[in-house]
Amino acid sequence: MAPVMDSVASFISREHQLFIGGEFVPSKGTSRLDVYNPADDTVLTTAAAAGAEDIDAAVAAARAALPEWRALPAARRAELLWNRGTRITELADEFAQIDTLNNGKTTADAMAVDIPLVTGLLKYYAGWATKLEGRTITPMGGSNFHVYTRREPIGVVGAIIPWNFPLLMCGYKLGPALATGNTIVLKPAEQTPLSALRLAEIIREVGFPDGVINIVTGDGPGAGAPLAAHHGVDKITFTGETTTGQKIIDAAKGNMKKMSLELGGKSPSLVFADADLDAAVEGTFGAVYFNQGQCCIAGARVFVHDDIYDEFTQRLVDRVSQIRLGPGLDPDSTMGPLVSREQQTRVRGFIDSGVEQGATIVSDAQSPVPEQGYFVRPTVFTGATADMRIMREEIFGPVAVVGKFSDEEQAIAAANDTAFGLCSGVWTRDSARVHRVAAGIEAGTVYVNTYGMFDPAVPYGGFKMSGFGKELGEESLDSYLQTKTVWVNLD
Ligand code: ADP
């Protein structure tokens, strides 16, 4: 097991407060959040549980900072964002350990995925800060007007993020919000506040003006709900469960907040008979089990052509049996624990429901599961029908459901038989089929002969109940900007 770095141990043992107006300040209330290590079920530390008064203070700080932030040369905004990305890279080992200790993910995954993506996207959006332009338009009804558009920041952004990628999700929100000249109040998930708090220390160090970024730790009802409802917040950006997204829509309507919602999924992978089977097994495996299955994009419904169904399923089961469960700090672990006791109970409940409703577990039941910590045995189901809970609901755990199809039409119908529409995977060597299926699938992303690719320059976001408003890429900027039209009479 890798030892905990001194700098990480010293950070974790600090008295954690709220980051408001460039200062660490105590919460107005006295309640605290217990912050757990999911690998051994111990309390690592506590964090402040913000309430409505703290949210008021954070929103006021963000509003007060807006004029200075908007007036700052775009090149300076870019520099600050870029420098923060660089600083995270310098502290990569520290951030990776913090997320491992607090979220459970393996340090290898944090180093391979979370850290490069968060630094990459801060730098990508640093580039956009200097490239935001409006248009000049010649009105079709006459040319004695000079008409142009300005793309302006929306104002104060409220960001509410989940626990599955604690540091990375901060970057998803901070990058585009700040590049476009907004200020922000960010609430991490109550389970995983630590990397966001370490980030707050860097924000000070790098020199962001006070109040541009405020980080308030707290739970959903106590801190998230007042942030979503606050009339001083102009836009809300949320990543989390669809049912929470619906509550946020209700809370946000009071002052017509702009919104982008990145919600749940139940994504399909379609494996055709002509697929490269080695690649399909490995890709489908990663699609389901990466990050302990705690990904909105998890490709948890796998549909396989009849001709290769038996072979594919056996190979997937073999691959799953190679998983080594253990603490994320242990380099021999290939899968860590789930984030919380609650999540462990929930996922086990889904597995029980699958069995009760008549599906069959075909994965190895003998592999050891550590007793301490929130581990769940990676599971493969077959024989599930379309109405079962394991087919319809987002499990957010290491559970695959493998079904069959006999032709392309049936495959597309199975893929689309869900209320969600986040991602999908297609495994085939037939290039014409690729394009037919990509057009037929109702989802924001179609991965072809790959799965789970993310890049700061490539937009990502859901259809149907998976939300609206794209993240990443140039598209994300649109949801943080509003277009103002200026008509100038030339007479
Ligand atoms: P999970 O149940 O998996 O934790 P959630 O969607 O509930 O997923 O949580 C994602 C984020 O939403 C967290 O930061 C959480 O605190 C926040 N949250 C939960 N409930 C609410 C709510 N009613 N209003 C605003 N934010 C909320």
Side-chain angles (χ1 to χ4, degrees), residues 14 111 141 213 223 372:
R14 293 210 243 295
M111 288 299 280
I213 304 165
Q372 254 194 323

Side-chain angles (χ1 to χ4, degrees), residues 160-161 163 187 189-191 219-220 224-225 238 240-241 244 247-248:
I160 299 176
I161 61 171
W163 43 257
K187 190 197 87 60
E190 53 272 39
Q191 298 86 347
D219 66 14
F238 170 74
E241 278 186 49
T244 313
K247 287 184 199 159
I248 286 176

